[in-house]
């Protein structure tokens, strides 16, 4: 893959990741948050499930493996996306994206505590810089909103999901895992919506367009490009560019929602972006020697 193609795909997949926050916030005018994200990932999961079936990708044959996929879906899709979309009711799309994409920093911490992984000093430097950014972002608020807590909760859930994938995912086809964890997560959210919110969905051209964008472009296409880059390129190098996703989250919030980008959000976000880069980035010579976090 030449550098132009690689750069284009990196920008495309991270921009799709980031744009989902602003577009999702627009979608809240037409649907309750949990129902909107439930429909998004149920549709995406069914779509990808059909694809992996037609492509005859190897499916698990034992109940235990399916249980692992279900657990990954509960954290990676239901927990992460449920927190994100509910958080959008009280904080901006930019703030939610910054908080959510702190997950690589938490992967280093949780991986050390629970899985006894060993990370390099540079990665711990990234974690330190990232949390300084969080402190700056939080410190500028007179009070921490519910959405702030949920945004941080999405990062925690994503970090747990990432570690589960790193622990269990090696024996499961990555495309099958992606398809069914989205489907299971979407179904969990669908059921949860009837207990946790006043459910509504207003079907019209705008709401259907938003839903299809979230389900196809920001889920199926985005995941496909991301996994393609991880599989065909340098995973450490590719994951280091994850910092672009919250950048596009803030940018899309400003362009689509006219959200004001406050100086403290820019400053705190800058620290977090740098932290994510160092937490993920790994020199080529060290890739096989040390653990590193990739978002899957």
């Amino acid at each position: 893959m030449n550098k132009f193609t690689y750069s284009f795909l990196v920008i495309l997949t991270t921009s799709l990741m980031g744009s989902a926050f602003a577009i999702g916030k627009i979608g809240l005018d037409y649907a309750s948050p949990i129902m909107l994200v439930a429909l998004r990932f149920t549709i995406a999961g069914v779509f990808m499930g059909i694809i992996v079936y037609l492509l005859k990708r190897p499916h698990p044959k034992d109940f235990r493996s399916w249980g692992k996929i279900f657990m990954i879906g509960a954290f990676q899709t239901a927990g992460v996306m449920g927190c994100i979309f509910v958080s959008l009711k009280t904080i901006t799309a930019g703030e939610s994206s910054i908080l959510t994409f702190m997950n690589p920093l938490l992967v280093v911490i949780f991986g050390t505590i629970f899985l006894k992984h060993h990370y390099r000093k540079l990665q711990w430097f990234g974690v330190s810089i990232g949390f300084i950014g969080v402190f700056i972002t939080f410190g500028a608020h007179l009070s921490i909103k519910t959405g702030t807590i949920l945004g941080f909760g999405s990062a925690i859930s994503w970090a747990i999901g990432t570690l589960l994938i790193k622990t269990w995912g090696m024996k499961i086809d990555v495309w099958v895992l992606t398809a069914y964890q989205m489907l299971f997560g979407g179904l969990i959210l669908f059921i949860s919506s009837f207990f946790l919110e006043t459910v509504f969905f207003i079907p019209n051209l705008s709401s259907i367009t938003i839903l299809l964008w979230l389900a196809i472009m920001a889920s199926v296409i985005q995941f496909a490009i991301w996994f393609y880059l991880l599989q065909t390129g340098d995973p450490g190098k590719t994951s280091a560019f994850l910092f672009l996703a919250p950048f596009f989250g803030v940018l899309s919030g400003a362009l689509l929602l006219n959200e004001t980008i406050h100086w403290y959000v820019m400053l705190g976000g800058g620290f977090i972006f740098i932290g994510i880069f160092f937490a993920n980035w790994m020199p080529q010579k060290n890739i096989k020697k040390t653990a590193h976090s990739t978002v899957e």
Side-chain angles (χ1 to χ4, degrees), residues 3 7 23 28 40 58 80 82 112 129 142 151 166 183 188 192 199 208 218 221 231 253 263 285 288 293:
K3 290 184 178 180
S7 300
I23 294 174
L28 297 183
R40 170 188 175 180
V80 174
T112 299
I129 291 295
L142 295 176
K166 290 171 73 68
L183 177 58
I188 291 171
S192 299
V199 179
I208 298 299
I221 302 299
Q231 290 181 336
W263 68 266
K285 62 181 180 180
K288 296 182 180 180
S293 64

Side-chain angles (χ1 to χ4, degrees), residues 193-208:
S193 67
F194 290 96
F195 294 95
L196 300 177
E197 64 181 0
T198 301
V199 179
F200 74 93
F201 182 82
I202 303 172
N204 55 39
L205 180 60
S206 295
S207 64
I208 298 299

